[in-house]
Amino acid sequence: MISIFRKIRQKLLQQNRITRYMTYAVGEIFLVTIGILIALSINTWNEDRKEKIYERKMLLELMEDMQLDTAFMHLQLRRIENFERSLVALEKPLLSWEELKDVDPQLFGGVYFIQNTKALETIKSGNVQIPFDDQLRKQINSHYHNSRFYLDLIIMEDKNFNEFRSIPIQKEYFKVERNEDSEIFDLKIFPIDFEKMKNSQEFKDFLLLRRSRVNRWNWAYRKVYDSTLESMKSIQEYLQQKTN
């Protein structure tokens, strides 16, 4: 193509047809410019298409992480419900320990959860802001930021409570053994001295504090759980709009 343009220019110059040569030169520049613009447009379109594919891929991976989070948090919320039932039983007037055979042996422990952030970390390490929608991006970032705050707060509070309250009470009043009979709990606890435990003000105070911790867990995990569901819903709606 270039050799053809060159031959035409040489022919016009040899024939001393300057006006037509100038007209042709302008036309040639115009055609080259149009070609460059078309090439840039195709390249831009192709890059935009790749970014949209990457955005969809990463949002789907974010949703997979969030689905894993909700499944694990659901288990932890059920565990919190077991703690609540155990506390209700322990707070009642007791005649014998046999009344409390279904007390969760993990009552002196805690609840634990680590968010899946693999997709989020991949997004942050890239050069493209995902998602492209500012409002959705802010919602996702806010979800992870707030969730980290709630979970870190619970971990910090639990560490102090377990070290200075829960573990000493468990050692003072209870024994822990493997439970061969229960399909629910693999461990079982029973009081070292039932009468001492039943009449202990220290143990009663512990139950009040433990209930406060259980309520705190329920509050924090519900916050994170609801925020995760809302973020998943927003991502689904955004992806659906993109496909329509």
Side-chain angles (χ1 to χ4, degrees), residues 11-28:
K11 184 177 180 180
L12 290 173
L13 287 172
Q14 290 172 358
Q15 295 175 355
N16 201 26
R17 301 170 71 176
I18 302 301
T19 303
R20 292 196 64 181
Y21 173 79
M22 294 299 295
T23 303
Y24 170 80
V26 171
E28 184 181 346

Side-chain angles (χ1 to χ4, degrees), residues 45-99:
W45 174 84
N46 192 45
E47 290 299 319
D48 184 59
R49 182 179 66 85
K50 289 181 180 178
E51 287 184 356
K52 287 180 179 178
I53 293 174
Y54 178 71
E55 178 197 39
R56 180 175 180 81
K57 174 179 177 293
M58 295 314 303
L59 288 177
L60 289 174
E61 289 187 14
L62 267 179
M63 286 188 61
E64 289 178 4
D65 283 351
M66 291 180 181
Q67 286 170 345
L68 291 173
D69 288 345
T70 55
F72 191 80
M73 277 189 289
H74 183 68
L75 293 176
Q76 295 298 72
L77 287 169
R78 288 182 60 186
R79 188 178 183 189
I80 292 171
E81 290 175 359
N82 286 337
F83 288 162
E84 290 176 339
R85 283 193 291 269
S86 297
L87 285 171
V88 169
L90 286 167
E91 289 165 347
K92 293 178 180 179
L94 302 176
L95 297 177
S96 67
W97 181 248
E98 283 68 28
E99 300 174 54

Side-chain angles (χ1 to χ4, degrees), residues 104-115:
D104 190 337
Q106 300 296 330
L107 181 63
F108 297 96
V111 289
Y112 306 97
F113 170 66
I114 299 176
Q115 274 185 307

Side-chain angles (χ1 to χ4, degrees), residues 77-189:
L77 287 169
R78 288 182 60 186
R79 188 178 183 189
I80 292 171
E81 290 175 359
N82 286 337
F83 288 162
E84 290 176 339
R85 283 193 291 269
S86 297
L87 285 171
V88 169
L90 286 167
E91 289 165 347
K92 293 178 180 179
L94 302 176
L95 297 177
S96 67
W97 181 248
E98 283 68 28
E99 300 174 54
L100 303 172
K101 61 181 180 179
D102 291 328
V103 168
D104 190 337
Q106 300 296 330
L107 181 63
F108 297 96
V111 289
Y112 306 97
F113 170 66
I114 299 176
Q115 274 185 307
N116 291 280
T117 58
K118 183 179 179 181
L120 181 70
E121 291 167 1
T122 301
I123 290 172
K124 287 185 175 181
S125 66
N127 297 321
V128 182
Q129 286 190 323
I130 301 294
F132 300 145
D133 183 78
D134 291 339
Q135 184 175 351
L136 180 58
R137 186 167 63 253
K138 288 178 181 178
Q139 180 182 353
I140 292 171
N141 289 335
S142 177
H143 161 68
Y144 279 103
H145 175 78
N146 292 338
S147 297
R148 188 72 269 150
F149 169 77
Y150 291 129
L151 296 172
D152 285 348
L153 180 64
I154 290 298
I155 291 172
M156 180 184 67
E157 293 175 346
D158 279 352
K159 181 179 180 180
N160 292 329
F161 183 84
N162 291 339
E163 182 177 355
F164 297 108
R165 290 284 186 175
S166 190
I167 295 175
I169 287 291
Q170 179 183 335
K171 290 181 177 179
E172 176 71 20
Y173 294 97
F174 293 92
K175 290 183 179 180
V176 181
E177 293 182 352
R178 291 190 59 82
N179 191 354
E180 306 294 341
D181 302 324
S182 175
E183 297 180 358
I184 302 175
F185 306 122
D186 59 351
L187 298 174
K188 63 180 178 180
I189 60 173

